[in-house]
Amino acid sequence: MKTKKIVLPDSELPRQWYNIVADMPNRPLPMLHPGTKEPVSKELMNRIFVEELVDQEFSTERWIDIPERVQDIYRIWRCTPLVRATELEKALGLSDGVKIYFKNESVSPAGSHKPNSAVPQAYYAAKQGLHRMTTETGGGQWGSAMSMAAEMFGLDLRVYMVKVSYNQKPYRKLMMNTWGADVFASPSDTTDAGRAALAADPNDGGSLGTAISEAVEMVLKNEDARYCLGSVMNHVSMHQTIIGEEVLRQFEMVGDYPDVVIGCFGGGSNFGGIAYPFLRENLTKGRKTRLIAAEPTSCPKLTRGEFQYDFGDLAGLTPLIPMYTLGHDFHPADIHAGGLRYHGAGTVASQLLRDGLFEAVDIDQVESLAAGVLFAKTEGIIPAPESTHAIRAAILEAERAMEEGVSKTIVFNLSGHGMIDLYAYELYLSGSLKNIALSDAEIAKTTSTLEKLIR
Amino acid sequence: MKTKKIVLPDSELPRQWYNIVADMPNRPLPMLHPGTKEPVSKELMNRIFVEELVDQEFSTERWIDIPERVQDIYRIWRCTPLVRATELEKALGLSDGVKIYFKNESVSPAGSHKPNSAVPQAYYAAKQGLHRMTTETGGGQWGSAMSMAAEMFGLDLRVYMVKVSYNQKPYRKLMMNTWGADVFASPSDTTDAGRAALAADPNDGGSLGTAISEAVEMVLKNEDARYCLGSVMNHVSMHQTIIGEEVLRQFEMVGDYPDVVIGCFGGGSNFGGIAYPFLRENLTKGRKTRLIAAEPTSCPKLTRGEFQYDFGDLAGLTPLIPMYTLGHDFHPADIHAGGLRYHGAGTVASQLLRDGLFEAVDIDQVESLAAGVLFAKTEGIIPAPESTHAIRAAILEAERAMEEGVSKTIVFNLSGHGMIDLYAYELYLSGSLKNIALSDAEIAKTTSTLEKLIR
């Protein structure tokens, strides 16, 4: 019997998150105040974010203890299984030496990896005595997870959801409502940023950039509220490293070790969550695992963006962030994978990519959904549209190994299931989904305004 | 640290299903041919069902080996976790001696316990050389699971889905389509039974009884097709006993043993799946575990039905089945828990209930969904509307123990999550859901025709 699934008992739950910043050859550049161009202070950040999360954002400590109460909640579903994709391997005709594993983050109550950060964010907010939080959500995975976590810690939550997703995914809204959150389609008429977007185009379907502007504006206007974010920031990726730390232990249990680690890439927390613990092993123990971020061709900030200072939102309310970006006014096409439509990449991931410590590939949406359907037909699980990019990248790596006649152990992060995102599969199955490749001119148009931000 | 979650490694997956028939003090009465009133033959059953499943249906063997290939598929998600509902316990203010556990069947690829039977059913069908299967589905959990399993074993599947669910749950249809199945709203115009129903009432929202008639008729008209069923039959409950066998091992691991085992009750397979292994321990080892089936007040066959011979479907195409029933022409109200709307209870469960070997309680739909929301807000998981009946029953048992000042260990089967069934929560949250209590006259009206079936 091949081992199908590697499970860890409750007692093996990692007790600390890992902070890649401690081991980076080059630390990330500071975020800057857009007016003064000086590094942003903790004090300014504390006005927007929960204090302990700001501390974590600036921290250079290698390990951060996971609070007991957060461990309690994690144990509802963690440790998650590491599964050998034996049925997929069979369908691909792989030889014994070419192995594909997936980390099954879809078994969480919200159906994705997002609760790994939502739970500690809600915990620290409650610990600070806060009662009101705001956030935004694209595909809906983060908004759902944060709704669950906020409810668990007695916080009121307001979610700005990108309108196109809000309309496509009524069940996402229902999930958030069931967990007690208020959900607004963004652009909304509840903020200046939303009203401005609607004035410019009443049919504006929204973007993460606009939704972030709305959520941040709401915090700036309400002294007792704080904003939280489901990706991009380093503290978020750090919370997600529990994924990779578990995977390390799980491979140890079966005496294997991955040659390739793959995650899809939106803001970077799902990728960082599985990859950074392996990057530490590369940096500190001479391991040579390849780390691959899989992004959509329609929002290719890693493969075609500029490394520059840029805003995190459309309205320019955030600090200037040093990152690979397509420009904060980049308006991504309405692709199926809403969680991957963000224009930028986060400071840590951007610096690591610049230093050549991981690779990025772009995957088009028809091929990624085809991989998702193959996965559903073999391993049973219908993957989140976001996760299908990682599956496609894993299949490409396996096929390459077969062509080269080499052994290879591949693991990807199944960041979530797609049960609430089935309209993407409907589009695919009906044949109405087309690939979206951007011309160089389109890329240049949105990135051309970047230079002046820092000058 | 309280143990939160008890997990079993792959190597602990049970290798055999348990057949309660071997240990029943009174075997179930035979099913009868409606014309001759003679016990139905295997030959007749073989025309409708897969042969090896018919053998299992008639089997009195205590243990049936689980085929290796089925074990392979089970291991994608099994063994499922047994979780201590510590957060729910806290919200209820339970003392240390009153404990609630849940078996988390929601982590399967289809989101419910249904694949436990769908996978072996598809396996045996493929082994018999069949290519075409038909089935019906109420809430959609079974149709989804069978679609997944059929695809895995290369079978074409046609699903008749109760129309009211079909319309309420577009995502269910999409799930089944993603796994390659053809889905028809029942009553449909593809069968005589469907056309007759539509002629009588063009707005007929359908019922499981009608959908079964359609699926069986399709098989009777197509020599190479076979029908499969997601509950009611003993072979289905038997496949589901893998749940209870795992729970037994899991309690052994932590040195605990349940005083009360609870499952919601539609056709009986989810209840039997968790309860029958504990019933065996009661019957053969003198254990005294109480086994509780939780049914909706709106479809109360166990608590208010008659024990009688009745058809399994509306049109009268099935054999006569000895069971607790509300009458095969009982048309259940459009309640939120589609999977619990069936008029009958299956021969084995019915005989066991008649012999006083388990208890039945009825739970109304507002209280069950309130329990579901409480569960979602504490343990995070949004339960399937069906499962909320079991949660409510578990809470009532815990509250009773507190009143009586006794210790009690309670376990219920969380048969699935509700992410595809959120409209039920929408109704509840909007306050538009009302309890449905049937008058004695309403019950008598549908059961009054039963007597003549066997005379």
Side-chain angles (χ1 to χ4, degrees):
Chain A
M1 178 189 115
K2 279 186 193 174
T3 300
K4 178 67 188 170
K5 185 163 75 309
I6 306 147
V7 294
L8 295 169
D10 269 24
S11 55
E12 287 287 309
L13 184 83
R15 308 298 167 97
Q16 296 178 309
W17 296 299
Y18 169 60
N19 185 4
I20 185 70
V21 173
D23 292 311
M24 288 173 76
N26 298 301
R27 295 273 164 90
L29 298 173
M31 291 187 282
L32 303 181
H33 188 287
T36 65
K37 306 279 162 71
E38 293 296 316
V40 291
S41 65
K42 274 195 184 182
E43 290 63 36
L44 183 68
M45 296 284 278
N46 284 343
R47 175 61 192 86
I48 299 174
F49 293 99
V50 172
E51 286 178 21
E52 201 139 346
L53 297 172
V54 174
D55 289 345
Q56 291 180 359
E57 190 63 24
F58 284 96
S59 172
T60 57
E61 293 294 314
R62 183 168 284 107
W63 297 101
I64 310 276
D65 289 340
I66 304 174
E68 289 278 343
R69 191 73 194 108
V70 173
Q71 292 182 35
D72 287 348
I73 307 292
Y74 275 174
R75 284 196 188 91
I76 294 173
W77 72 95
R78 306 206 71 87
C79 307
T80 62
L82 178 68
V83 188
R84 175 90 180 269
T86 43
E87 306 299 320
L88 175 64
E89 289 176 7
K90 219 178 292 174
L92 295 172
L94 303 185
S95 60
D96 275 356
V98 182
K99 292 178 273 188
I100 303 178
Y101 292 84
F102 62 94
K103 178 68 167 169
N104 189 359
E105 290 293 305
S106 78
V107 299
S108 86
S112 80
H113 68 297
K114 293 290 188 188
N116 298 333
S117 186
V119 171
Q121 291 200 39
Y123 166 83
Y124 290 122
K127 192 179 161 203
Q128 191 177 322
L130 297 166
H131 298 289
R132 298 172 65 186
M133 301 293 291
T134 71
T135 195
E136 82 296 318
T137 196
Q141 298 273 22
W142 168 250
S144 306
M146 193 61 211
S147 299
M148 179 193 87
E151 184 67 29
M152 285 175 163
F153 290 95
L155 304 167
D156 287 336
L157 180 71
R158 174 176 283 213
V159 182
Y160 288 94
M161 184 171 187
V162 175
K163 190 177 280 174
V164 61
S165 288
Y166 183 95
N167 291 334
Q168 279 169 343
K169 302 183 178 186
Y171 278 34
R172 279 280 171 210
K173 175 177 176 293
L174 284 175
M175 273 177 89
M176 294 186 254
N177 290 156
T178 300
W179 281 310
D182 291 320
V183 187
F184 296 85
S186 169
S188 77
D189 61 3
T190 66
T191 65
D192 293 339
R195 284 184 292 266
L198 289 172
D201 175 7
N203 297 318
D204 188 339
S207 69
L208 270 177
T210 305
I212 294 173
S213 293
E214 293 205 84
V216 172
E217 182 185 327
M218 188 54 65
V219 167
L220 292 174
K221 287 179 175 166
N222 291 280
E223 193 64 43
D224 63 336
R226 291 294 180 279
Y227 167 68
C228 60
L229 197 59
S231 192
V232 182
M233 307 284 280
N234 188 43
H235 64 268
V236 184
S237 301
M238 197 185 73
H239 300 153
Q240 295 292 354
T241 59
I242 192 161
I243 299 171
E245 296 300 335
E246 287 180 8
V247 174
L248 269 169
R249 286 164 169 75
Q250 286 167 314
F251 272 117
E252 204 176 331
M253 276 179 71
V254 290
D256 204 349
Y257 196 86
D259 301 297
V260 183
V261 174
I262 300 171
C264 63
F265 198 102
S269 75
N270 144 49
F271 170 72
I274 192 166
Y276 292 168
F278 288 94
L279 179 52
R280 176 188 68 235
E281 302 297 294
N282 283 357
L283 291 168
T284 64
K285 296 185 187 159
R287 290 278 194 179
K288 304 279 186 202
T289 299
R290 289 171 54 218
L291 311 169
I292 302 178
E295 67 177 6
T297 51
S298 53
C299 193
K301 62 231 175 198
L302 300 179
T303 52
R304 299 174 72 189
E306 301 271 341
F307 184 88
Q308 249 296 8
Y309 272 96
D310 192 9
F311 291 111
D313 70 324
L314 180 65
L317 296 177
T318 71
L320 287 167
I321 305 171
M323 59 180 177
Y324 281 92
T325 175
L326 295 163
H328 62 281
D329 55 351
F330 175 78
H331 202 90
D334 169 24
I335 65 163
H336 67 276
L340 305 184
R341 292 170 86 239
Y342 190 62
H343 68 277
T347 63
V348 170
S350 293
Q351 186 63 48
L352 293 171
L353 180 63
R354 199 184 189 192
D355 291 340
L357 295 174
F358 71 87
E359 306 166 36
V361 296
D362 64 314
I363 303 285
D364 73 42
Q365 64 176 355
V366 175
E367 280 169 20
S368 67
L369 271 176
V373 170
L374 178 62
F375 191 75
K377 292 185 172 190
T378 51
E379 299 293 329
I381 304 163
I382 300 175
E386 290 82 358
S387 312
T388 63
H389 294 75
I391 298 174
R392 176 64 183 155
I395 291 172
L396 289 172
E397 283 296 323
E399 289 176 343
R400 198 162 303 141
M402 290 295 289
E403 282 164 25
E404 295 170 0
V406 296
S407 293
K408 198 188 274 185
T409 296
I410 302 160
V411 60
F412 69 87
N413 197 14
L414 184 75
S415 56
H417 66 62
M419 290 193 198
I420 317 292
D421 307 298
L422 284 165
Y423 82 96
Y425 287 89
E426 186 176 30
L427 292 178
Y428 171 76
L429 294 171
S430 69
S432 58
L433 207 63
K434 300 280 174 279
N435 286 329
I436 302 166
L438 299 169
S439 67
D440 288 343
E442 284 170 303
I443 300 276
K445 183 165 166 275
T446 53
T447 55
S448 61
T449 57
L450 289 171
E451 192 67 21
K452 65 184 176 203
L453 288 173
I454 189 64
R455 296 296 153 210
Chain B
M1 179 189 114
K2 279 186 193 174
T3 300
K4 179 67 188 169
K5 186 164 76 304
I6 306 146
V7 294
L8 295 170
D10 269 24
S11 55
E12 288 287 309
L13 183 82
R15 308 298 165 98
Q16 295 179 309
W17 295 300
Y18 169 61
N19 184 5
I20 185 72
V21 173
D23 292 312
M24 288 172 77
N26 298 301
R27 296 273 163 90
L29 298 174
M31 291 188 283
L32 303 181
H33 187 287
T36 65
K37 306 279 163 69
E38 293 296 315
V40 292
S41 65
K42 273 195 184 183
E43 290 64 35
L44 183 70
M45 296 283 279
N46 284 343
R47 175 61 192 85
I48 298 174
F49 293 99
V50 172
E51 286 177 21
E52 200 139 344
L53 297 172
V54 174
D55 289 346
Q56 291 179 1
E57 190 64 23
F58 283 96
S59 172
T60 57
E61 293 292 315
R62 183 168 286 108
W63 298 103
I64 310 276
D65 289 340
I66 304 174
E68 290 277 342
R69 191 72 194 107
V70 172
Q71 293 182 36
D72 287 348
I73 306 293
Y74 275 174
R75 285 198 188 90
I76 294 174
W77 72 94
R78 306 204 73 86
C79 307
T80 63
L82 178 68
V83 188
R84 175 90 180 267
T86 43
E87 306 299 319
L88 174 64
E89 289 176 6
K90 219 177 291 173
L92 295 171
L94 303 186
S95 62
D96 274 356
V98 182
K99 292 176 274 187
I100 302 178
Y101 292 85
F102 63 94
K103 178 69 166 169
N104 189 358
E105 290 292 304
S106 78
V107 298
S108 86
S112 80
H113 68 298
K114 293 292 189 187
N116 298 333
S117 187
V119 171
Q121 291 200 40
Y123 166 82
Y124 290 122
K127 192 179 161 202
Q128 191 177 324
L130 296 165
H131 297 290
R132 297 172 65 186
M133 301 293 291
T134 72
T135 195
E136 82 296 320
T137 195
Q141 298 272 23
W142 169 250
S144 306
M146 193 61 211
S147 300
M148 179 194 86
E151 183 68 29
M152 285 176 163
F153 290 95
L155 303 167
D156 286 338
L157 179 72
R158 173 177 283 213
V159 182
Y160 288 95
M161 184 170 186
V162 175
K163 191 177 280 174
V164 60
S165 289
Y166 182 95
N167 291 334
Q168 279 168 343
K169 303 182 177 186
Y171 279 33
R172 279 280 172 211
K173 175 178 176 291
L174 284 175
M175 272 177 90
M176 295 186 253
N177 291 156
T178 301
W179 281 309
D182 290 321
V183 187
F184 296 86
S186 168
S188 78
D189 60 3
T190 66
T191 65
D192 293 340
R195 284 185 292 265
L198 290 172
D201 177 6
N203 297 318
D204 188 340
S207 70
L208 269 178
T210 305
I212 294 174
S213 293
E214 293 206 84
V216 171
E217 181 185 327
M218 189 53 65
V219 166
L220 293 174
K221 287 179 175 164
N222 292 280
E223 193 63 43
D224 63 336
R226 290 294 181 278
Y227 168 68
C228 59
L229 197 60
S231 193
V232 183
M233 307 285 280
N234 188 43
H235 65 268
V236 183
S237 300
M238 198 184 72
H239 300 153
Q240 295 294 354
T241 60
I242 193 162
I243 299 171
E245 296 300 335
E246 287 180 8
V247 174
L248 270 169
R249 286 164 169 75
Q250 286 166 315
F251 272 117
E252 204 175 331
M253 276 180 70
V254 288
D256 204 348
Y257 196 87
D259 301 297
V260 183
V261 174
I262 300 171
C264 62
F265 199 103
S269 75
N270 145 47
F271 170 72
I274 192 166
Y276 292 167
F278 289 95
L279 180 52
R280 177 187 68 235
E281 302 297 295
N282 284 357
L283 291 168
T284 64
K285 296 186 188 157
R287 290 280 194 179
K288 304 278 187 204
T289 299
R290 289 171 54 218
L291 311 170
I292 302 179
E295 68 178 6
T297 51
S298 53
C299 193
K301 61 229 174 200
L302 299 179
T303 53
R304 299 175 71 189
E306 300 272 342
F307 184 87
Q308 248 297 7
Y309 271 96
D310 192 11
F311 291 110
D313 70 325
L314 181 65
L317 297 178
T318 70
L320 286 167
I321 305 170
M323 59 179 177
Y324 281 92
T325 175
L326 295 164
H328 62 279
D329 55 351
F330 176 78
H331 202 91
D334 169 26
I335 65 163
H336 67 278
L340 305 184
R341 292 170 85 239
Y342 190 62
H343 68 274
T347 63
V348 170
S350 293
Q351 187 63 48
L352 294 171
L353 181 63
R354 198 183 189 193
D355 291 339
L357 296 174
F358 72 86
E359 305 166 36
V361 295
D362 64 313
I363 304 284
D364 73 43
Q365 64 176 356
V366 175
E367 281 168 21
S368 67
L369 271 175
V373 169
L374 178 62
F375 191 76
K377 292 185 172 188
T378 51
E379 299 293 328
I381 303 164
I382 300 176
E386 290 82 357
S387 312
T388 63
H389 294 75
I391 298 173
R392 176 64 183 155
I395 291 172
L396 288 172
E397 283 297 323
E399 289 175 344
R400 198 162 303 141
M402 290 295 289
E403 282 165 26
E404 294 170 2
V406 296
S407 292
K408 199 188 276 185
T409 296
I410 301 160
V411 60
F412 70 86
N413 197 13
L414 184 76
S415 56
H417 65 63
M419 290 194 200
I420 317 290
D421 307 298
L422 285 165
Y423 82 97
Y425 287 89
E426 187 176 29
L427 292 177
Y428 171 77
L429 294 171
S430 69
S432 58
L433 207 63
K434 299 281 174 277
N435 287 329
I436 301 168
L438 299 169
S439 69
D440 288 342
E442 283 170 303
I443 300 277
K445 182 164 168 278
T446 53
T447 55
S448 61
T449 58
L450 288 171
E451 193 67 21
K452 65 184 177 204
L453 288 173
I454 189 64
R455 296 296 152 209

